[in-house]
Amino acid sequence: MTRRIVPLFAALATTLTLLTTACGGLDIMDNPYNHTDDEIARAAALLPTLPTLEDTEAELTAAVLRIADAATAIAPELVWEQRRERRQIGCGGAFAKTDGLEIDLPNYVSPIPIPDAAWPRVLQAARDILAPLGITELTVRVDRPGDHDVVVTSSDGRHVDLGTKVAALVSGRTGCRLPAARS
């Protein structure tokens, strides 16, 4: 009898959890995918004020490649390879119902990780390259010997990822923008 009660109790607990979370019940208004018409209109109105998707992609790609070059100048053993192609994706949040798109830049990877002794200088070089673009908000995900992972973001949705552990990575995303053909 106890064996039947435990699975039944687990199923009941799971159902109650789903009903009382953003997956379908009482907190539905807190769901980040529910946006008012006003929020969507503000998002749509913002897009034409930003550079085009193509211009943003070109500027961010140049910055990512400059970061990779700067890292190699600091740690010559780093050799960068493109490991993933760029991807065009739809925007999220209030921008999801607009004509905007985002580009995930290619991943540039070095199979040799950034040495711990070089990490602070590589990170500072990246910040120096990104600052003139307004990409200045640093979030440290991990910072311990042999394992570093940061993202540097801008208020308009652009971000650059930089990290090292088994290998090193630099990549980025444009944030939501209108393609030139739609602006």
Side-chain angles (χ1 to χ4, degrees):
M1 178 126 167
T2 303
R3 289 184 185 153
R4 291 184 189 165
I5 292 174
V6 172
L8 179 61
F9 179 75
L12 180 60
T14 301
T15 301
L16 286 174
T17 300
L18 288 173
L19 287 174
T20 59
T21 65
C23 292
L26 303 176
D27 294 330
I28 196 159
M29 296 313 293
D30 293 331
N31 186 331
Y33 300 104
N34 293 330
H35 295 280
T36 66
D37 290 343
D38 189 45
E39 290 170 325
I40 295 166
R42 281 195 309 267
L46 175 64
L47 288 176
T49 70
L50 299 172
T52 66
L53 180 66
E54 294 83 357
D55 289 346
T56 304
E57 179 182 11
E59 181 180 66
L60 198 58
T61 298
V64 163
L65 293 174
R66 284 183 58 213
I67 292 167
D69 289 345
T72 300
I74 294 166
E77 62 272 27
L78 299 173
V79 178
W80 299 93
E81 307 166 5
Q82 184 177 325
R83 289 277 179 94
R84 183 198 75 203
E85 295 297 318
R86 72 184 274 286
R87 297 180 303 155
Q88 182 174 292
I89 58 175
C91 299
F95 293 94
K97 294 184 180 177
T98 70
D99 288 335
L101 296 170
E102 290 188 78
I103 301 292
D104 264 339
L105 298 183
N107 284 344
Y108 295 95
V109 176
S110 170
I112 306 293
I114 300 168
D116 281 334
W119 174 255
R121 291 182 295 148
V122 170
L123 178 57
Q124 188 58 54
R127 294 184 79 181
D128 292 346
I129 290 165
L130 296 171
L133 305 177
I135 305 171
T136 58
E137 186 64 36
L138 179 69
T139 301
V140 177
R141 295 176 179 153
V142 178
D143 188 21
R144 59 180 171 251
D147 188 5
H148 306 280
D149 184 11
V150 300
V151 61
V152 188
T153 59
S154 67
S155 61
D156 64 3
R158 295 169 295 158
H159 76 258
V160 171
D161 297 293
L162 178 64
T164 189
K165 188 172 181 181
V166 175
L169 166 78
V170 62
S171 190
R173 184 179 284 183
T174 61
C176 193
R177 301 289 188 275
L178 286 175
R182 295 182 188 169
S183 50

